[in-house]
Amino acid sequence: MDSGTTTSPGSQLRARSPEHQSWKHAPSAYVVCTKDRAIDTELQQDTAARCDSVREWQTGHSPFVGRPELVIDLVLGRVSSCDQSAGFSFAAGADPVVLFA
């Protein structure tokens, strides 16, 4: 063991970046939660600039708890606007199912 260096078991994994970042090539949306006290609004806006769709909601950090209807409308809108050629399709008559952890 080399006493001059210390590394954590995952340090080599964290140092590498993925070869392909899917979010750069797939439709993406970001919701800026203007009443969020955990993540500064300016930081959210900087992150949102990378997405192709940005919305601002007057909600706290967890809109899926406080305003679930907004989240449902966003997800259903995004699903309905997906290009079927990109692999997003549903069986005739089937409703899309959205799950949140």
Side-chain angles (χ1 to χ4, degrees), residues 9 11 15 22 41 44 54 59 67 87 89-90 96:
S11 64
S22 296
T41 304
Q44 292 182 65
V54 178
T59 66
R67 298 290 309 275
S89 62
F90 299 97

Side-chain angles (χ1 to χ4, degrees), residues 26-46:
S28 58
Y30 194 99
V31 175
V32 176
C33 300
T34 60
K35 294 183 179 179
D36 191 335
R37 293 185 297 163
I39 302 174
D40 183 69
T41 304
E42 190 173 314
L43 177 59
Q44 292 182 65
Q45 291 167 336
D46 289 346

